[in-house]
Amino acid sequence: MKMRITTIGKGRAISLLLLLVGLSLQAFAEDRIKISGYVRDADGNPLELVNVRVKNTLVGSMTNEKGYYAFSVALGDSLSIIYSCLGFNKAERIIPAAYADMRLNVQMNYASLELGEVSVTAIRKQTSTMENIDADRIKLLPDPAGGSIESLVVTFAGVSSSNELSSQYSVRGGSYDENMVYVNGLEVFRPLLIRSGQQEGLSFVNPDLTEEVNFSAGGFEARYGDKMSSVLDITYKKPKSLEGSVSASLLGANAYVGSSTGKFTQVTGLRFKSSRSLLGSMETDAEYDPKFIDLQTYMTYQFAPKWEINFLGNLANNRYKFTPYSRETTFGTSKDPKHFKVYFDGRERDRFQTHFGALTLKHNPRENTELGLQASAFRSQEEEGYDIAGEYWLSTDGASNPDSEASAAMSVGRYHEHARNRLNSSVVNVGHYGKATLHNNTLRWGATVQFERINDQISEWEKRDSSGYSLPQVEQQVSVYSNLFSDNAIESTRLSAYLQDAFKFRTKQGLFTLIAGLRGSYWSFNKEFILSPRASLGFIPNFDQNLTMRFATGLYYQSPFYKELRQQGLDEQGNHITLLNKNLKSQRALHFIVGGDYTFKAVDRNFKLTAELYYKKLDHLNPYTVDNVKIRYYGDNCAKGYAMGLDVKFFGEFVPGTDSWISFSLMKSEQTIRETTKAPLPNSPSYNVSLFFQDYFPGFKRVKLNLKGVLAGGLPQTIPGQGYEAGYFRTPAYKRVDMGLSYQLAGGNDAIMDRGFFRYLKNIWIGADVFNLFGIRNVSSYYWITDVYNVQYAVPNYLTGRQLNARLIIDF
């Protein structure tokens, strides 16, 4: 018997195999259903990183930035789905019969105590180096600067400030110029001639207009510009209805109003600051007349369903007048006391005017895509002028009377300081940006062209004499002690572009968030092209979703602006002049940051512990010295160095229903200048402890306490004009506590709020602040005296003393 065996062709066999696999997959798919939906809070805002799980299983997902989640489960009977997120009450949804795809939208309620006007927001999970700040905390914060976002930023780990009159801050050893500030995606600029906190005026950012604040102390994304230390990203409000506020204090007054008519929204704020009463607590007996005015507006108009145009405008006029009469300073130690007394003649007049305007055209062709065109212009007109003469007496035994027989004079002399400085700057910026979300990826890109024009004229000199002898003594000549002249103008163009992707993916181990990008820039003045790769990785493990870990690295450049270019040289007559170094290149920092957060509940309250270790390798440094808040650069890439440290922040409800935190930082830094001189970075306190604390009276929640405290190590100081090569010393530690007490006169569910004029109001607050609660004398800088033997003495310039302030706030 013969058997006939037939074979199937190779192609037909593959087709049959694919058919069987397809049938199997179809059968498998028919045995599973998809469960998806959105999770929002009680206010309707999407909640990100909510843990959604089938009860008693590992099946589930986490919500994205839009609050969306999706996962599949096997066909079956009833299911119980648990929604959990720190700071919110758990939610549970039961599906009686799981036989078809379903959409489940869930609202989660805050897990907070009912405290009337006291509310606590949920603790966000931070998967990148960008930290969110609640701008509402500024309202009742005791702030000598007049109320600024920056006054809250300085209480964060890694951030330090040693001058309560200034809104400038240092981050992880960097200079004030290394910090970027963005408002609605646009970088904003500061005046360049500011040399003391008394002159500075108001910060650009208006807290009344602010909706959202994000801050990164390093390792930030490629979409942010070329600075080496930090980025502060501000988003202004788009009101949904009529709102506003009026406030007044001994430091000035603020007012803002916001409105919406559907397609059109606007928010406009006016601020006035006069720190005359605060400056009166300083040691110099003088007539202080500071007047700082700032007007801002942000408008949006949706002229088509997918099109919107918005405008951001700012006008600032800062004037500072100063007429000193006398000053008396006691310093030194109990064994070696010194007394310094001066009688002044002359005055100072400064004016800083800035104008800023920006237009943005936004288009959303699809739900997950946004395209935009931006154009902005900034103009600054700065004038600084003073003629101040002084006759001083320095004694060793603290005797304040030069004619006293007990007085032992160390130095008696005169000096005369003169300046007529002018600086005009214009910056025009045109750019495009885009954002698109594709599944688990969020792509961002952008490109800008920036035109800069700066005119700088400096004419300043100082004359000194000691015991009737002119300093310095040069045979028969009479010479000034120091002088500086400048007449420079530059025009330049900057080009920049970036591309980055944020990718979220889940494995058996947990949820990963990878953000990677590349940024490139070119500056026509020094013909330099820089390329900056940056990346960060966040991880939330499945074994404990209260834990978040992250790592960030990147190459960050400090592209020079104008101040960094200036070098001192000599003209034919031996006068010091300012030269611009066209060969100056960008400073560079390589960041390595590793850290994490652990969120937990204790006694039914939310807490978060954050820790970050960082190391910054620095090269091509342009060294600088700091006098008060004025930075003088060497104007040369002649140094290298590093900064490393540990930042820790403990955040939570120390008092039920209120958010408070304490930050602690340790840092070590070093720079090597011209291969020979080693010194710490100028803004590098070896330690920093900051506190922000809120409290209320038990049983009487209308009374709130706000406390802000700072303890920072001293900063390196050098002899003026000699740099670190002549040595350095550190100032005493900066120690300060400011306390504010506020009382809610009316608001909330009060019966009076339904009557007459009060129907249009939300809250009425009155308050009192005590600045520098313990009256500690902090040093901002030093005044240097030279005797006839060319010996120099450093007389400390102390900051403000204890001062009271009264406040009134009306919200509508």
Side-chain angles (χ1 to χ4, degrees), residues 392 411-414 462-474 477-482 784-792:
Y392 63 84
S411 181
V412 178
R414 299 180 178 88
E462 179 182 0
K463 179 184 176 183
R464 294 186 187 181
D465 70 67
S466 179
S467 302
Y469 292 90
S470 178
L471 298 176
Q473 298 183 53
V474 184
Q477 299 180 9
V478 177
S479 301
V480 295
Y481 185 77
S482 65
W784 292 82
I785 296 174
T786 306
D787 65 14
V788 69
Y789 302 106
N790 209 32
V791 176
Q792 298 200 66

PDB file of all heavy atoms in Angstrom, residues 392 411-414 462-474 477-482 784-792:
ATOM      1  N   TYR A 392      35.725 112.116  58.479  1.00  0.00           N
ATOM      2  CA  TYR A 392      35.553 110.988  59.391  1.00  0.00           C
ATOM      3  C   TYR A 392      36.634 110.975  60.477  1.00  0.00           C
ATOM      4  O   TYR A 392      37.716 111.562  60.351  1.00  0.00           O
ATOM      5  CB  TYR A 392      35.553 109.665  58.632  1.00  0.00           C
ATOM      6  CG  TYR A 392      36.849 109.336  57.916  1.00  0.00           C
ATOM      7  CD1 TYR A 392      37.903 108.724  58.596  1.00  0.00           C
ATOM      8  CD2 TYR A 392      37.011 109.612  56.566  1.00  0.00           C
ATOM      9  CE1 TYR A 392      39.087 108.408  57.946  1.00  0.00           C
ATOM     10  CE2 TYR A 392      38.192 109.304  55.904  1.00  0.00           C
ATOM     11  CZ  TYR A 392      39.228 108.711  56.608  1.00  0.00           C
ATOM     12  OH  TYR A 392      40.399 108.407  55.974  1.00  0.00           O
ATOM     13  N   SER A 411      42.682 107.134  62.630  1.00  0.00           N
ATOM     14  CA  SER A 411      42.691 107.787  61.330  1.00  0.00           C
ATOM     15  C   SER A 411      41.707 108.947  61.344  1.00  0.00           C
ATOM     16  O   SER A 411      40.592 108.828  61.861  1.00  0.00           O
ATOM     17  CB  SER A 411      42.320 106.803  60.219  1.00  0.00           C
ATOM     18  OG  SER A 411      42.344 107.427  58.959  1.00  0.00           O
ATOM     19  N   VAL A 412      42.126 110.062  60.805  1.00  0.00           N
ATOM     20  CA  VAL A 412      41.272 111.231  60.619  1.00  0.00           C
ATOM     21  C   VAL A 412      41.433 111.664  59.173  1.00  0.00           C
ATOM     22  O   VAL A 412      42.555 111.790  58.673  1.00  0.00           O
ATOM     23  CB  VAL A 412      41.664 112.384  61.565  1.00  0.00           C
ATOM     24  CG1 VAL A 412      40.778 113.597  61.310  1.00  0.00           C
ATOM     25  CG2 VAL A 412      41.580 111.947  63.020  1.00  0.00           C
ATOM     26  N   GLY A 413      40.349 111.878  58.490  1.00  0.00           N
ATOM     27  CA  GLY A 413      40.502 112.229  57.086  1.00  0.00           C
ATOM     28  C   GLY A 413      39.226 112.699  56.436  1.00  0.00           C
ATOM     29  O   GLY A 413      38.178 112.834  57.077  1.00  0.00           O
ATOM     30  N   ARG A 414      39.341 112.943  55.138  1.00  0.00           N
ATOM     31  CA  ARG A 414      38.214 113.384  54.313  1.00  0.00           C
ATOM     32  C   ARG A 414      38.168 112.527  53.055  1.00  0.00           C
ATOM     33  O   ARG A 414      39.183 111.967  52.636  1.00  0.00           O
ATOM     34  CB  ARG A 414      38.363 114.856  53.919  1.00  0.00           C
ATOM     35  CG  ARG A 414      38.399 115.838  55.068  1.00  0.00           C
ATOM     36  CD  ARG A 414      38.553 117.254  54.522  1.00  0.00           C
ATOM     37  NE  ARG A 414      38.542 118.251  55.583  1.00  0.00           N
ATOM     38  CZ  ARG A 414      39.621 118.639  56.241  1.00  0.00           C
ATOM     39  NH1 ARG A 414      40.806 118.102  55.939  1.00  0.00           N
ATOM     40  NH2 ARG A 414      39.535 119.547  57.196  1.00  0.00           N
ATOM     41  N   GLU A 462      37.032 108.882  43.141  1.00  0.00           N
ATOM     42  CA  GLU A 462      37.029 109.038  44.588  1.00  0.00           C
ATOM     43  C   GLU A 462      38.341 109.673  45.023  1.00  0.00           C
ATOM     44  O   GLU A 462      39.422 109.239  44.615  1.00  0.00           O
ATOM     45  CB  GLU A 462      36.845 107.698  45.296  1.00  0.00           C
ATOM     46  CG  GLU A 462      36.854 107.833  46.813  1.00  0.00           C
ATOM     47  CD  GLU A 462      36.729 106.498  47.524  1.00  0.00           C
ATOM     48  OE1 GLU A 462      36.638 105.460  46.824  1.00  0.00           O
ATOM     49  OE2 GLU A 462      36.748 106.495  48.766  1.00  0.00           O
ATOM     50  N   LYS A 463      38.228 110.704  45.843  1.00  0.00           N
ATOM     51  CA  LYS A 463      39.405 111.390  46.386  1.00  0.00           C
ATOM     52  C   LYS A 463      39.450 111.157  47.892  1.00  0.00           C
ATOM     53  O   LYS A 463      38.431 111.256  48.580  1.00  0.00           O
ATOM     54  CB  LYS A 463      39.338 112.891  46.089  1.00  0.00           C
ATOM     55  CG  LYS A 463      40.507 113.688  46.642  1.00  0.00           C
ATOM     56  CD  LYS A 463      40.321 115.173  46.399  1.00  0.00           C
ATOM     57  CE  LYS A 463      41.447 115.970  47.049  1.00  0.00           C
ATOM     58  NZ  LYS A 463      41.252 117.433  46.890  1.00  0.00           N
ATOM     59  N   ARG A 464      40.624 110.847  48.415  1.00  0.00           N
ATOM     60  CA  ARG A 464      40.797 110.644  49.846  1.00  0.00           C
ATOM     61  C   ARG A 464      42.014 111.423  50.330  1.00  0.00           C
ATOM     62  O   ARG A 464      43.002 111.576  49.608  1.00  0.00           O
ATOM     63  CB  ARG A 464      41.017 109.157  50.175  1.00  0.00           C
ATOM     64  CG  ARG A 464      39.849 108.246  49.905  1.00  0.00           C
ATOM     65  CD  ARG A 464      40.139 106.843  50.419  1.00  0.00           C
ATOM     66  NE  ARG A 464      39.116 105.885  50.035  1.00  0.00           N
ATOM     67  CZ  ARG A 464      39.136 104.601  50.374  1.00  0.00           C
ATOM     68  NH1 ARG A 464      40.128 104.134  51.109  1.00  0.00           N
ATOM     69  NH2 ARG A 464      38.171 103.789  49.984  1.00  0.00           N
ATOM     70  N   ASP A 465      41.918 111.884  51.571  1.00  0.00           N
ATOM     71  CA  ASP A 465      43.129 112.385  52.229  1.00  0.00           C
ATOM     72  C   ASP A 465      43.053 111.991  53.697  1.00  0.00           C
ATOM     73  O   ASP A 465      41.971 111.883  54.282  1.00  0.00           O
ATOM     74  CB  ASP A 465      43.300 113.891  52.059  1.00  0.00           C
ATOM     75  CG  ASP A 465      42.284 114.707  52.824  1.00  0.00           C
ATOM     76  OD1 ASP A 465      42.319 114.682  54.067  1.00  0.00           O
ATOM     77  OD2 ASP A 465      41.437 115.347  52.171  1.00  0.00           O
ATOM     78  N   SER A 466      44.211 111.740  54.273  1.00  0.00           N
ATOM     79  CA  SER A 466      44.310 111.316  55.658  1.00  0.00           C
ATOM     80  C   SER A 466      45.267 112.252  56.370  1.00  0.00           C
ATOM     81  O   SER A 466      46.415 112.424  55.931  1.00  0.00           O
ATOM     82  CB  SER A 466      44.807 109.872  55.755  1.00  0.00           C
ATOM     83  OG  SER A 466      44.916 109.472  57.111  1.00  0.00           O
ATOM     84  N   SER A 467      44.796 112.871  57.439  1.00  0.00           N
ATOM     85  CA  SER A 467      45.599 113.816  58.229  1.00  0.00           C
ATOM     86  C   SER A 467      46.185 114.915  57.358  1.00  0.00           C
ATOM     87  O   SER A 467      47.324 115.351  57.534  1.00  0.00           O
ATOM     88  CB  SER A 467      46.731 113.070  58.962  1.00  0.00           C
ATOM     89  OG  SER A 467      46.200 112.061  59.788  1.00  0.00           O
ATOM     90  N   GLY A 468      45.408 115.349  56.353  1.00  0.00           N
ATOM     91  CA  GLY A 468      45.833 116.441  55.497  1.00  0.00           C
ATOM     92  C   GLY A 468      46.700 116.036  54.334  1.00  0.00           C
ATOM     93  O   GLY A 468      47.123 116.884  53.543  1.00  0.00           O
ATOM     94  N   TYR A 469      46.958 114.713  54.177  1.00  0.00           N
ATOM     95  CA  TYR A 469      47.774 114.247  53.059  1.00  0.00           C
ATOM     96  C   TYR A 469      46.888 113.549  52.038  1.00  0.00           C
ATOM     97  O   TYR A 469      46.090 112.671  52.368  1.00  0.00           O
ATOM     98  CB  TYR A 469      48.856 113.268  53.545  1.00  0.00           C
ATOM     99  CG  TYR A 469      49.914 113.906  54.405  1.00  0.00           C
ATOM    100  CD1 TYR A 469      49.762 113.967  55.788  1.00  0.00           C
ATOM    101  CD2 TYR A 469      51.058 114.456  53.825  1.00  0.00           C
ATOM    102  CE1 TYR A 469      50.741 114.565  56.584  1.00  0.00           C
ATOM    103  CE2 TYR A 469      52.041 115.048  54.614  1.00  0.00           C
ATOM    104  CZ  TYR A 469      51.869 115.103  55.993  1.00  0.00           C
ATOM    105  OH  TYR A 469      52.837 115.683  56.758  1.00  0.00           O
ATOM    106  N   SER A 470      47.060 113.949  50.780  1.00  0.00           N
ATOM    107  CA  SER A 470      46.283 113.333  49.714  1.00  0.00           C
ATOM    108  C   SER A 470      46.759 111.907  49.488  1.00  0.00           C
ATOM    109  O   SER A 470      47.957 111.619  49.529  1.00  0.00           O
ATOM    110  CB  SER A 470      46.433 114.136  48.420  1.00  0.00           C
ATOM    111  OG  SER A 470      45.728 113.516  47.376  1.00  0.00           O
ATOM    112  N   LEU A 471      45.796 110.992  49.275  1.00  0.00           N
ATOM    113  CA  LEU A 471      46.113 109.589  49.008  1.00  0.00           C
ATOM    114  C   LEU A 471      45.669 109.241  47.593  1.00  0.00           C
ATOM    115  O   LEU A 471      44.570 109.601  47.170  1.00  0.00           O
ATOM    116  CB  LEU A 471      45.386 108.674  50.018  1.00  0.00           C
ATOM    117  CG  LEU A 471      45.757 108.877  51.492  1.00  0.00           C
ATOM    118  CD1 LEU A 471      44.892 107.968  52.369  1.00  0.00           C
ATOM    119  CD2 LEU A 471      47.230 108.602  51.731  1.00  0.00           C
ATOM    120  N   PRO A 472      46.538 108.525  46.851  1.00  0.00           N
ATOM    121  CA  PRO A 472      47.908 108.138  47.223  1.00  0.00           C
ATOM    122  C   PRO A 472      48.880 109.311  47.064  1.00  0.00           C
ATOM    123  O   PRO A 472      48.646 110.232  46.283  1.00  0.00           O
ATOM    124  CB  PRO A 472      48.218 107.033  46.229  1.00  0.00           C
ATOM    125  CG  PRO A 472      47.429 107.400  45.022  1.00  0.00           C
ATOM    126  CD  PRO A 472      46.147 108.010  45.535  1.00  0.00           C
ATOM    127  N   GLN A 473      49.992 109.275  47.781  1.00  0.00           N
ATOM    128  CA  GLN A 473      51.003 110.324  47.704  1.00  0.00           C
ATOM    129  C   GLN A 473      51.958 110.034  46.552  1.00  0.00           C
ATOM    130  O   GLN A 473      52.613 109.001  46.540  1.00  0.00           O
ATOM    131  CB  GLN A 473      51.790 110.403  49.012  1.00  0.00           C
ATOM    132  CG  GLN A 473      50.930 110.759  50.227  1.00  0.00           C
ATOM    133  CD  GLN A 473      51.760 110.883  51.469  1.00  0.00           C
ATOM    134  OE1 GLN A 473      52.749 111.623  51.487  1.00  0.00           O
ATOM    135  NE2 GLN A 473      51.366 110.162  52.508  1.00  0.00           N
ATOM    136  N   VAL A 474      51.997 110.918  45.568  1.00  0.00           N
ATOM    137  CA  VAL A 474      52.879 110.758  44.406  1.00  0.00           C
ATOM    138  C   VAL A 474      53.685 112.049  44.258  1.00  0.00           C
ATOM    139  O   VAL A 474      53.280 112.979  43.545  1.00  0.00           O
ATOM    140  CB  VAL A 474      52.084 110.455  43.127  1.00  0.00           C
ATOM    141  CG1 VAL A 474      53.051 110.189  41.965  1.00  0.00           C
ATOM    142  CG2 VAL A 474      51.158 109.268  43.333  1.00  0.00           C
ATOM    143  N   GLN A 477      52.461 115.623  43.044  1.00  0.00           N
ATOM    144  CA  GLN A 477      51.168 115.563  42.372  1.00  0.00           C
ATOM    145  C   GLN A 477      50.040 115.313  43.373  1.00  0.00           C
ATOM    146  O   GLN A 477      50.232 114.713  44.427  1.00  0.00           O
ATOM    147  CB  GLN A 477      51.156 114.454  41.322  1.00  0.00           C
ATOM    148  CG  GLN A 477      52.188 114.640  40.219  1.00  0.00           C
ATOM    149  CD  GLN A 477      52.121 113.511  39.209  1.00  0.00           C
ATOM    150  OE1 GLN A 477      51.215 112.703  39.247  1.00  0.00           O
ATOM    151  NE2 GLN A 477      53.087 113.472  38.310  1.00  0.00           N
ATOM    152  N   VAL A 478      48.871 115.782  43.012  1.00  0.00           N
ATOM    153  CA  VAL A 478      47.667 115.490  43.767  1.00  0.00           C
ATOM    154  C   VAL A 478      46.841 114.510  42.930  1.00  0.00           C
ATOM    155  O   VAL A 478      46.395 114.854  41.832  1.00  0.00           O
ATOM    156  CB  VAL A 478      46.847 116.757  44.066  1.00  0.00           C
ATOM    157  CG1 VAL A 478      45.564 116.396  44.798  1.00  0.00           C
ATOM    158  CG2 VAL A 478      47.681 117.741  44.880  1.00  0.00           C
ATOM    159  N   SER A 479      46.682 113.304  43.425  1.00  0.00           N
ATOM    160  CA  SER A 479      46.022 112.248  42.658  1.00  0.00           C
ATOM    161  C   SER A 479      44.741 111.815  43.357  1.00  0.00           C
ATOM    162  O   SER A 479      44.611 111.919  44.582  1.00  0.00           O
ATOM    163  CB  SER A 479      46.948 111.032  42.507  1.00  0.00           C
ATOM    164  OG  SER A 479      48.147 111.389  41.857  1.00  0.00           O
ATOM    165  N   VAL A 480      43.779 111.331  42.572  1.00  0.00           N
ATOM    166  CA  VAL A 480      42.581 110.738  43.151  1.00  0.00           C
ATOM    167  C   VAL A 480      42.894 109.321  43.581  1.00  0.00           C
ATOM    168  O   VAL A 480      43.847 108.689  43.098  1.00  0.00           O
ATOM    169  CB  VAL A 480      41.421 110.741  42.135  1.00  0.00           C
ATOM    170  CG1 VAL A 480      41.008 112.160  41.794  1.00  0.00           C
ATOM    171  CG2 VAL A 480      41.774 109.962  40.880  1.00  0.00           C
ATOM    172  N   TYR A 481      42.100 108.823  44.526  1.00  0.00           N
ATOM    173  CA  TYR A 481      42.355 107.483  45.044  1.00  0.00           C
ATOM    174  C   TYR A 481      41.980 106.423  44.002  1.00  0.00           C
ATOM    175  O   TYR A 481      42.674 105.421  43.827  1.00  0.00           O
ATOM    176  CB  TYR A 481      41.551 107.262  46.327  1.00  0.00           C
ATOM    177  CG  TYR A 481      41.833 105.948  46.991  1.00  0.00           C
ATOM    178  CD1 TYR A 481      42.978 105.749  47.734  1.00  0.00           C
ATOM    179  CD2 TYR A 481      40.938 104.885  46.862  1.00  0.00           C
ATOM    180  CE1 TYR A 481      43.243 104.529  48.336  1.00  0.00           C
ATOM    181  CE2 TYR A 481      41.188 103.666  47.452  1.00  0.00           C
ATOM    182  CZ  TYR A 481      42.339 103.497  48.195  1.00  0.00           C
ATOM    183  OH  TYR A 481      42.605 102.292  48.787  1.00  0.00           O
ATOM    184  N   SER A 482      40.870 106.657  43.306  1.00  0.00           N
ATOM    185  CA  SER A 482      40.447 105.733  42.244  1.00  0.00           C
ATOM    186  C   SER A 482      39.582 106.494  41.262  1.00  0.00           C
ATOM    187  O   SER A 482      38.952 107.501  41.609  1.00  0.00           O
ATOM    188  CB  SER A 482      39.670 104.544  42.821  1.00  0.00           C
ATOM    189  OG  SER A 482      38.458 104.974  43.395  1.00  0.00           O
ATOM    190  N   TRP A 784      35.869 101.125  53.218  1.00  0.00           N
ATOM    191  CA  TRP A 784      37.298 100.983  53.469  1.00  0.00           C
ATOM    192  C   TRP A 784      37.945 102.354  53.682  1.00  0.00           C
ATOM    193  O   TRP A 784      37.771 103.263  52.878  1.00  0.00           O
ATOM    194  CB  TRP A 784      37.972 100.255  52.305  1.00  0.00           C
ATOM    195  CG  TRP A 784      37.536  98.821  52.227  1.00  0.00           C
ATOM    196  CD1 TRP A 784      36.406  98.342  51.654  1.00  0.00           C
ATOM    197  CD2 TRP A 784      38.216  97.705  52.784  1.00  0.00           C
ATOM    198  NE1 TRP A 784      36.331  96.978  51.803  1.00  0.00           N
ATOM    199  CE2 TRP A 784      37.442  96.561  52.493  1.00  0.00           C
ATOM    200  CE3 TRP A 784      39.407  97.547  53.497  1.00  0.00           C
ATOM    201  CZ2 TRP A 784      37.817  95.284  52.888  1.00  0.00           C
ATOM    202  CZ3 TRP A 784      39.792  96.277  53.888  1.00  0.00           C
ATOM    203  CH2 TRP A 784      38.995  95.155  53.594  1.00  0.00           C
ATOM    204  N   ILE A 785      38.697 102.464  54.779  1.00  0.00           N
ATOM    205  CA  ILE A 785      39.405 103.692  55.133  1.00  0.00           C
ATOM    206  C   ILE A 785      40.912 103.429  55.021  1.00  0.00           C
ATOM    207  O   ILE A 785      41.405 102.384  55.455  1.00  0.00           O
ATOM    208  CB  ILE A 785      39.067 104.117  56.575  1.00  0.00           C
ATOM    209  CG1 ILE A 785      37.592 104.458  56.680  1.00  0.00           C
ATOM    210  CG2 ILE A 785      39.914 105.310  57.008  1.00  0.00           C
ATOM    211  CD1 ILE A 785      37.161 104.744  58.096  1.00  0.00           C
ATOM    212  N   THR A 786      41.625 104.403  54.468  1.00  0.00           N
ATOM    213  CA  THR A 786      43.077 104.300  54.327  1.00  0.00           C
ATOM    214  C   THR A 786      43.741 105.440  55.095  1.00  0.00           C
ATOM    215  O   THR A 786      43.383 106.608  54.917  1.00  0.00           O
ATOM    216  CB  THR A 786      43.486 104.375  52.846  1.00  0.00           C
ATOM    217  OG1 THR A 786      42.754 103.391  52.111  1.00  0.00           O
ATOM    218  CG2 THR A 786      44.979 104.130  52.685  1.00  0.00           C
ATOM    219  N   ASP A 787      44.690 105.096  55.964  1.00  0.00           N
ATOM    220  CA  ASP A 787      45.383 106.161  56.687  1.00  0.00           C
ATOM    221  C   ASP A 787      46.620 106.606  55.909  1.00  0.00           C
ATOM    222  O   ASP A 787      46.902 106.122  54.803  1.00  0.00           O
ATOM    223  CB  ASP A 787      45.732 105.731  58.112  1.00  0.00           C
ATOM    224  CG  ASP A 787      46.743 104.584  58.170  1.00  0.00           C
ATOM    225  OD1 ASP A 787      47.385 104.293  57.137  1.00  0.00           O
ATOM    226  OD2 ASP A 787      46.904 103.981  59.243  1.00  0.00           O
ATOM    227  N   VAL A 788      47.363 107.530  56.488  1.00  0.00           N
ATOM    228  CA  VAL A 788      48.519 108.109  55.803  1.00  0.00           C
ATOM    229  C   VAL A 788      49.620 107.089  55.549  1.00  0.00           C
ATOM    230  O   VAL A 788      50.468 107.269  54.687  1.00  0.00           O
ATOM    231  CB  VAL A 788      49.052 109.319  56.611  1.00  0.00           C
ATOM    232  CG1 VAL A 788      49.677 108.838  57.922  1.00  0.00           C
ATOM    233  CG2 VAL A 788      50.025 110.136  55.790  1.00  0.00           C
ATOM    234  N   TYR A 789      49.598 105.998  56.317  1.00  0.00           N
ATOM    235  CA  TYR A 789      50.598 104.946  56.129  1.00  0.00           C
ATOM    236  C   TYR A 789      50.118 103.860  55.159  1.00  0.00           C
ATOM    237  O   TYR A 789      50.710 102.802  55.064  1.00  0.00           O
ATOM    238  CB  TYR A 789      50.942 104.310  57.473  1.00  0.00           C
ATOM    239  CG  TYR A 789      51.449 105.310  58.480  1.00  0.00           C
ATOM    240  CD1 TYR A 789      50.634 105.726  59.541  1.00  0.00           C
ATOM    241  CD2 TYR A 789      52.725 105.866  58.361  1.00  0.00           C
ATOM    242  CE1 TYR A 789      51.087 106.663  60.464  1.00  0.00           C
ATOM    243  CE2 TYR A 789      53.179 106.799  59.286  1.00  0.00           C
ATOM    244  CZ  TYR A 789      52.361 107.194  60.331  1.00  0.00           C
ATOM    245  OH  TYR A 789      52.813 108.126  61.232  1.00  0.00           O
ATOM    246  N   ASN A 790      48.990 104.151  54.491  1.00  0.00           N
ATOM    247  CA  ASN A 790      48.400 103.248  53.502  1.00  0.00           C
ATOM    248  C   ASN A 790      47.863 101.957  54.128  1.00  0.00           C
ATOM    249  O   ASN A 790      47.755 100.928  53.475  1.00  0.00           O
ATOM    250  CB  ASN A 790      49.403 102.896  52.397  1.00  0.00           C
ATOM    251  CG  ASN A 790      48.694 102.600  51.083  1.00  0.00           C
ATOM    252  OD1 ASN A 790      47.638 103.167  50.795  1.00  0.00           O
ATOM    253  ND2 ASN A 790      49.260 101.706  50.294  1.00  0.00           N
ATOM    254  N   VAL A 791      47.551 102.030  55.429  1.00  0.00           N
ATOM    255  CA  VAL A 791      46.903 100.909  56.108  1.00  0.00           C
ATOM    256  C   VAL A 791      45.395 101.063  55.932  1.00  0.00           C
ATOM    257  O   VAL A 791      44.847 102.160  56.138  1.00  0.00           O
ATOM    258  CB  VAL A 791      47.269 100.877  57.598  1.00  0.00           C
ATOM    259  CG1 VAL A 791      46.511  99.753  58.311  1.00  0.00           C
ATOM    260  CG2 VAL A 791      48.767 100.710  57.763  1.00  0.00           C
ATOM    261  N   GLN A 792      44.710  99.966  55.547  1.00  0.00           N
ATOM    262  CA  GLN A 792      43.277 100.026  55.275  1.00  0.00           C
ATOM    263  C   GLN A 792      42.484  99.380  56.408  1.00  0.00           C
ATOM    264  O   GLN A 792      42.902  98.369  56.984  1.00  0.00           O
ATOM    265  CB  GLN A 792      42.944  99.336  53.952  1.00  0.00           C
ATOM    266  CG  GLN A 792      43.608  99.983  52.749  1.00  0.00           C
ATOM    267  CD  GLN A 792      42.915  99.609  51.457  1.00  0.00           C
ATOM    268  OE1 GLN A 792      41.765  99.974  51.228  1.00  0.00           O
ATOM    269  NE2 GLN A 792      43.615  98.898  50.606  1.00  0.00           N
TER     270      GLN A 792
END
